[in-house]
Amino acid sequence: KMPYEEYLEYLLTTDVVLFDMVNSAALGNLAPLVYFNKKIYLNRAGDIKAAFDASGLLCGCCDEIAGQTFAEFSAPLLNTEENKRNLFAFRKEYSRDQWKMLLEKLDEETGEVGKE
């Protein structure tokens, strides 16, 4: 174990990161790695790849590595600041407001939510 700031400094030293799993794991690493513009390779059939696609985030796929030159393999993929924000945690107030809006919308559509 190490302090979080020290761990972030360690992540800064990486150039390429591979997450070749189908199910989600090591999720706390993703936001800093994306923020630091690190090259991330994901399993094409994995949950994390689906989340990247939904957020518009660029990544490589592990099944592409064998056919790449080292330059292609290691070249960073630069995501837009807007797409990066899709991956970062929301403030408590934002999350609360989103839930409130969702419940109000459901109440309007069904007339069921919020009734006792």
Side-chain angles (χ1 to χ4, degrees):
K1 292 189 174 191
M2 64 176 71
Y4 187 65
E5 292 79 16
E6 192 175 321
Y7 186 68
L8 291 177
E9 289 177 20
Y10 167 73
L11 289 180
L12 270 170
T13 67
T14 63
D15 295 315
V16 179
V17 181
L18 293 100
F19 293 100
D20 193 21
M21 60 278 213
V22 175
N23 297 316
S24 299
L27 296 177
N29 294 302
L30 289 174
L33 291 167
V34 169
Y35 179 80
F36 296 146
N37 292 314
K38 300 302 181 177
K39 182 74 171 267
I40 299 172
Y41 284 92
L42 302 173
N43 185 304
R44 184 178 306 279
D47 295 340
I48 300 172
K49 174 71 166 96
F52 268 56
D53 290 346
S55 299
L57 290 166
L58 302 173
C59 66
C61 291
C62 293
D63 61 359
E64 301 169 341
I65 295 172
Q68 294 180 335
T69 66
F70 180 75
E72 292 169 329
F73 170 73
S74 60
L77 297 172
L78 303 177
N79 287 290
T80 66
E81 293 303 313
E82 180 180 343
N83 290 349
K84 287 180 185 181
R85 279 191 297 273
N86 290 331
L87 192 63
F88 300 137
F90 300 120
R91 291 185 348 261
K92 180 172 62 173
E93 295 81 11
Y94 175 81
S95 296
R96 183 194 61 228
D97 292 343
Q98 292 297 303
W99 274 107
K100 183 178 177 186
M101 189 169 48
L102 171 68
L103 294 172
E104 288 172 353
K105 181 74 172 164
L106 288 171
D107 190 31
E108 291 171 12
E109 290 179 7
T110 65
E112 299 292 324
V113 176
K115 290 191 176 185
E116 296 184 26

